[in-house]
Amino acid sequence: MSAYKSFSKQKTNGQKRDDEEAASKPKNRQRVLMLTSRGVTYRHRHLLGDLNSLLPHSRKDAKLDTKTKLQQLNELADLYNCNNVMFFEARKGKDLYLWLSKPPNGPTIKFHANNLHTMEELNFTGNCLKGSRPVLSFDAGFEKQAHTRVIKELLTQQFGVPQTSRKVKPFVDHVMGFTLADNKVWIRCYQIAETETAKAAPSDPDTADSAPTATVAKSGKGETNISLIEIGPRFVLTPIIILEGSFGGPVIYENKEFVSPNQIRSDLRRAKAGRHNRRAESMVERKAKRRDMGLNTGEGPREIDELDDQVLFA
């Protein structure tokens, strides 16, 4: 019996079986837990649905009730057997923050998401197979700094679909591009479209001279042209902070150039209020000046000098 087991593990030519070769290779086991907080808008929900359809190794969960105790996401990830968390946090029904974490040890990156455009509102002509694996294309700028390398590694593990996923299809027909510009991560998604050009076979010159009308050109396969067609969604991520742990721990990077949208709206309201106050003060000064000059009827004293009409023509 032991001799039969030893021979059954080998092929006819003495090589190992495919299952043993697959078992010897390190498996990329990645699962992403995707969920939102309370207060998200319809656009945020559509963006979550688009990303969930593009990532077959993701699991979408119900909304999280709290915005302060984010450590509960580690327990949810352990409950659903997920080692990546993508959490969309909405603030004031306007601002959207994206948390990418690697539980249970971290790290965690907090982004501010803006310029959101979902698949429905873009109406692009491209289309990709549901469940296919994407090709991740990163800009060369991710390798220049330490925090950008951390961002690249976390984005790779979040958006990289493993071959061993349960819902994955054995096709690669779209590209996800990550570009670093202006200290922001620009994310685009394209379909890989292949078109073949027909190639006409050369005809016999003797046959063409004798019977030109009976000549038929045989078509064959020509060159394959590969083009990219954008399918969406598209959005921009601005990194804010990077935490060492999973939704906690010390801050290892902080973007000093980031200005919160609340501060921007406050500055705009203050500038608008300042212009209104200056116009009101100038109007009060103009009225006081006219009253002192006696230009308003029945208001303020009017001094009569020697050149006044009442003195000259009295």
Side-chain angles (χ1 to χ4, degrees), residues 184-203:
K184 299 178 182 179
V185 181
W186 302 70
I187 300 179
R188 299 290 185 268
C189 190
Y190 302 92
Q191 177 201 358
I192 303 175
E194 296 182 358
T195 57
E196 292 184 356
T197 58
K199 183 178 180 181
S203 58

Side-chain angles (χ1 to χ4, degrees), residues 26-94:
K27 293 184 178 181
N28 183 16
R29 300 182 182 274
Q30 302 291 339
R31 292 194 66 187
V32 182
L33 178 63
M34 305 175 66
L35 70 164
T36 63
S37 65
R38 297 288 180 181
V40 292
T41 62
Y42 70 97
R43 182 172 293 178
H44 302 162
R45 292 196 304 269
H46 292 176
L47 177 64
L48 179 65
D50 294 342
L51 293 178
N52 186 28
S53 62
L54 288 175
L55 303 178
H57 67 302
S58 62
R59 178 190 175 92
K60 188 167 63 172
D61 196 26
K63 297 179 181 178
L64 190 68
D65 292 331
T66 180
K67 295 182 181 179
T68 56
K69 301 178 181 179
L70 298 182
Q71 289 78 12
Q72 297 179 3
L73 294 173
N74 297 326
E75 301 177 2
L76 286 176
D78 187 22
L79 179 64
Y80 292 121
N81 195 19
C82 297
N83 54 357
N84 295 283
V85 175
M86 186 180 298
F87 178 63
F88 292 86
E89 181 185 0
R91 294 285 182 179
K92 295 186 177 181
K94 302 177 182 179

Side-chain angles (χ1 to χ4, degrees), residues 279-291:
R279 287 198 301 268
E281 291 176 359
S282 63
M283 187 178 297
V284 172
E285 292 178 358
R286 187 167 58 253
K287 288 183 178 179
K289 186 176 181 180
R290 289 177 63 87
R291 184 183 65 249

Side-chain angles (χ1 to χ4, degrees), residues 6 11 40 61 86 93 95 101 112-113 162 212 219 242 274 277 297 308:
S6 62
K11 294 182 181 179
V40 292
D61 196 26
M86 186 180 298
D95 308 326
S101 178
H112 175 243
S219 61
I242 300 179
N277 293 336
T297 305
D308 192 78

